[in-house]
Amino acid sequence: MFKSDDICTQDMQSKEPLLEIKNLHAGIDGNVILNGIDIEIGPGEIHAIMGRNGSGKTTTANIVMGHPDFDVEDGEIKLMGNDLLDLEPWERAKEGVFLSFQYPQAVPGLQVGNFLKKSVASIKGDEAAKGKNFRELLKKSMKELNMPSSFLSRYVNDGFSGGEKKRFEILQMMLLQPKLAILDETDSGLDIDGIRTVATGINSSIRGTGSGALIITHYSRILDYVKPDKIHVLIDGKIVATGD
């Protein structure tokens, strides 16, 4: 007779992977950076990649998102069984891939409120960016991230502090509700309160949903609050260890 824990384990094992990266070899300008990476993320899971500078962490994020400067020599990247490698970056975004930038750029003249509406409309359709549901989700998300309503009238990343930029990236993720969120050093430059706030946004967007996240970080601080299902250690373009 099965115990309930056994049944839960079987259910988890039977789920299709959300993200599959298999034997990924890639580089830039003829320089090899990734030497055969394998990562599999299931629905509702949060994984982290750790490693020193130059190990290939940000390269992995850029390649999954489809950055045109990088060349994939071999391997597969699939989202819910669908091949991503033949898609343009905007097509991957439409499929549900979201990348939080390590160094978000300022866009003077474009207000945050308008930017958020346009972003949601471009990914989820015009109706998703209108009406009561959008306003309620925006209000709820900003409250979770401790962002005042006056934030909406500012210009995108123009004069933002480092912490404001990172919280704004998470706000975009919470509104877009992607299938896969890739968060590139979202914790860099944040104090402990900022890390807690960002972690709250990540957990509420991923845990208990069909989405997944891949966090790229140098530090273990954010992992104390997000508590990833798996951590992958990347050295010289290879995953040398995977564990909790």
Side-chain angles (χ1 to χ4, degrees):
M1 183 173 181
F2 290 115
K3 297 179 181 179
S4 59
D5 287 346
D6 295 331
I7 296 173
C8 289
T9 301
Q10 287 182 338
D11 287 342
M12 290 297 293
Q13 291 174 343
S14 65
K15 287 182 180 178
E16 289 292 327
L18 177 73
L19 175 71
E20 293 178 280
I21 300 176
K22 292 184 179 180
N23 193 36
L24 184 62
H25 292 75
I28 187 170
D29 296 331
N31 298 313
V32 176
I33 300 175
L34 301 181
N35 295 288
I37 286 182
D38 295 287
I39 297 174
E40 187 174 293
I41 299 177
E45 291 185 354
I46 298 174
H47 288 213
I49 294 180
M50 301 189 73
R52 55 180 175 252
N53 285 334
S55 59
K57 303 186 305 300
T58 295
T59 295
T60 301
N62 283 325
I63 289 173
V64 174
M65 195 69 241
H67 195 299
D69 286 350
F70 293 89
D71 301 311
V72 175
E73 303 297 336
D74 196 10
E76 298 178 350
I77 304 176
K78 292 184 178 181
L79 182 70
M80 299 178 67
N82 298 318
D83 186 11
L84 291 182
L85 288 178
D86 291 333
L87 302 182
E88 297 294 329
W90 66 269
E91 292 175 312
R92 300 184 195 203
K94 283 272 195 180
E95 288 293 313
V97 182
F98 172 84
L99 174 61
S100 169
F101 293 108
Q102 185 176 355
Y103 303 109
Q105 298 297 306
V107 188
L110 178 59
Q111 286 188 323
V112 166
N114 290 333
F115 174 81
L116 293 172
K117 285 184 179 179
K118 291 178 183 293
S119 297
V120 171
S122 67
I123 299 299
K124 302 177 69 177
D126 291 336
E127 289 304 313
K130 298 177 182 178
K132 183 178 178 182
N133 289 341
F134 174 77
R135 291 194 300 271
E136 287 182 349
L137 178 59
L138 176 60
K139 184 178 180 180
K140 175 178 177 290
S141 300
M142 291 183 70
K143 184 177 181 180
E144 273 191 43
L145 296 173
N146 296 322
M147 301 171 79
S149 58
S150 60
F151 194 85
L152 297 174
S153 62
R154 297 174 66 181
Y155 295 128
V156 172
N157 290 320
D158 191 17
F160 286 16
S161 68
E164 287 174 330
K165 288 181 179 180
K166 297 307 174 74
R167 280 185 289 159
F168 182 43
E169 293 287 292
I170 298 300
L171 176 60
Q172 294 171 55
M173 178 194 72
M174 294 172 76
L175 294 178
L176 291 170
Q177 299 173 321
K179 296 173 185 172
L180 173 69
I182 307 169
L183 308 175
D184 191 3
E185 300 204 26
T186 304
D187 55 335
S188 65
L190 294 178
D191 60 20
I192 195 65
D193 289 333
I195 289 173
R196 285 197 195 100
T197 300
V198 164
T200 296
I202 296 170
N203 286 326
S204 67
S205 299
I206 304 300
R207 295 301 187 193
T209 74
S211 299
L214 182 62
I215 298 175
I216 293 167
T217 182
H218 280 291
Y219 310 105
S220 62
R221 295 177 304 173
I222 192 171
L223 307 183
D224 292 333
Y225 301 99
V226 173
K227 300 190 184 303
D229 298 276
K230 288 184 180 179
I231 299 174
H232 310 278
V233 178
L234 189 61
I235 298 178
D236 295 332
K238 293 182 179 180
I239 293 176
V240 298
T242 293
D244 56 15

